Amino acid sequence: MSQQCGVGDFYIKNKGEITMKITLKDGSSKEYSEAKSVYEIAKDISEGLARVACAGEVDGEIVDLRTVLDKDCTLNIITASDEEGLRVIRHTASHVLAQAVKNLFPDAKITIGPAIDDGFYYDFDSQPFSREDLDALEAEMKKIIKQGHEITRFTLPREEAIKFMKEKDEPYKVELIEELPEGEEISFYDQGGFVDLCAGPHLMSTKGVKAFKLTASSMAYWRGDSNKARLHRIYGTAYNKKEDLKAHLERMEEAKKRDHNKLGREMELFTTVDVIGQGLPLMMPKGTKMIMKLQRWIEDLEDKEWGYVRTKTPLMAKSDLYKISGHWDHYLDGMFVLGDPEKDGEEEVMALRPMTCPFQYYVYKAKQHSYRDLPYRMGETSTLFRNEDSGEMHGLTRVRQFTISEGHNVIRPDQCEEELKACFNLNRYVLKVLGLENDVTYRLSKWDPKNTEKYLGDDEYWNSTQEVLRNILIEENVPFVEADGEAAFYGPKIDIQAKNVYGKEDTMVTIQLDCAIAENFDLYYIDQNGDKIRPYIIHRTSLGCYERTLAWLIEHYAGKFPTWLCPEQVRVLPISEKYADYAKKVADELKRNDVDVTVDNRAEKIGYKIREARMDKLPYMLVVGADEEADGTVSVRSRFEGNEGVKPLSDFIDQICKEIRTSTHSFRSFPARFLLFGQSHIPSVS
């Protein structure tokens, strides 16, 4: 809707002249005696600014260039060099795409077409789109852009808007309008006779879309609901300059090379099978080996270095457990339920677990604990199940069954600060060892104060718990953002975020403060006075989801993993079959030293074997022939130094074992346990 301001807000200058004052970004101001649109003000500032203007920012709100201002305000003219300006260009490009689709495929029904990070998409109820279709649509879009249609905005009352879209036979737009309140005025944009329901903002003309590309097509569901209509989505991107578009497309080509969904399959780390099901990846031997290495490292790290005890709990439970925890009320749609919930009470209803916390609470409850026993840190390598929407699943990053380095720390209120810091520093330690510490951002995930029925606790509870986590992030001196509505239903979170090669962000690791759930499970400890006291719970992961982390590692390293993590660390290459016995002897000696090694005994030329080993991104190749067998040596070729020359086998074993051993221990100077036993106190947040 356009931003209109009241005449009563004008102030009176000398001689009774009515004037409004527009304060610009640089602190200067403009005064006008009549209402002006954002575009008119940009033109008054300079013709050049008006030509590159995409939108306006009025008192902090992004508005259309057509928005009329008639009172005092601050104004920043948004151009393509601003992130919001690019979003306007991309949103306009999505409308040009929709017009092109209607021109070439008149029976297609339009739905929604937002700007997104790095581009835009539009969903259509239509036939699937091939690459040839996308090429044809690009050509049609260029025609529309060259025609330079003026983009105009108009509004209709709600009932007229519904009638208007019904006449155009656009049922999805009708549905969107019908969900708006009675009496609402609805905005539309018209470009050369193509009209779309939209709140804007948009460019002034289709000529403003100067560089674009349609990048892909896929299937989608209306409103993201797999029970609703199956649609076909077209993705694209747009920039203000052709060179910016070219640079983006080059980045996307590099991203494709690193895409874990492609590279992971090529490297035989994982696969998927339709008859098994979507979101249920099969880990191949190499991928399994990598996850085993990560799991063993994390379990040893938590148990031996950070004071955790290990649990193993069931993969399912009766609905009663989830009702006590609150998950039945707050998370049922995300669970796989075995049995009919409508007959709950008449027959036993079970559910696969979406999290481990309620199970570990009963491990804690199995014996009485005193204040001296806390913190009590329980770790588990947990297999979990979540009923993700089919449209959301992708490779290893969004799946229906996954394994997580989950843990729950039962603590006294006075231990809250140091234990949260310890969890945070464990996360940072793990990231540093994996070489991922520079890939992440930090988010304070808060409740949604406008939708409080989703959560346990009141305003005071949430404000106080959120402040505790905020202080941790500030004290640890990491930049972070705050996000309403991203908290768990029982408490706020510190989420460590990372983006995949295409820019999509996921939560990799999380720390959650829970000062409410102990009441539900009657958890307590005995304090110094013999009284029963409710503990706090920290829900946390150290590595996060193993499958998602593996995807992250594939993309970060482009498959060239650190030696300690490689599923195949060494390949022995005999020059001919005459040296197969010596190759086996070399491999056996490496295996005795816990090195993952294979022998390539194929009847191929040595040059071919070396090239293939390079393609497989192996850290080391050991070429062996007559001289090596006679001298007990190996000819070393590495991914790091190239041809390292001939070395005694014992020297190479010392070299690689040291490399493997120190990789997960080379950051011991990073603070590991210094926070675990402090005595600092913060006020109770219960």
Side-chain angles (χ1 to χ4, degrees), residues 644-661:
E644 295 189 15
V646 177
K647 298 181 182 181
L649 176 58
S650 59
D651 286 359
F652 174 75
I653 290 175
D654 288 344
Q655 171 190 328
I656 192 170
C657 287
K658 182 179 179 181
E659 181 182 341
I660 293 168
R661 184 174 63 251

Side-chain angles (χ1 to χ4, degrees), residues 383-419:
T383 298
L384 305 178
F385 306 85
R386 295 185 183 174
N387 192 10
E388 300 282 0
D389 289 335
S390 59
E392 292 293 318
M393 287 181 287
H394 174 71
L396 297 179
T397 58
R398 184 77 63 172
V399 293
R400 285 176 168 159
Q401 176 184 308
F402 56 95
T403 303
I404 192 168
S405 60
E406 197 166 15
H408 297 88
N409 300 7
V410 184
I411 61 173
R412 304 191 309 262
D414 63 288
Q415 296 169 323
C416 188
E417 182 178 7
E418 58 259 57
E419 193 68 11

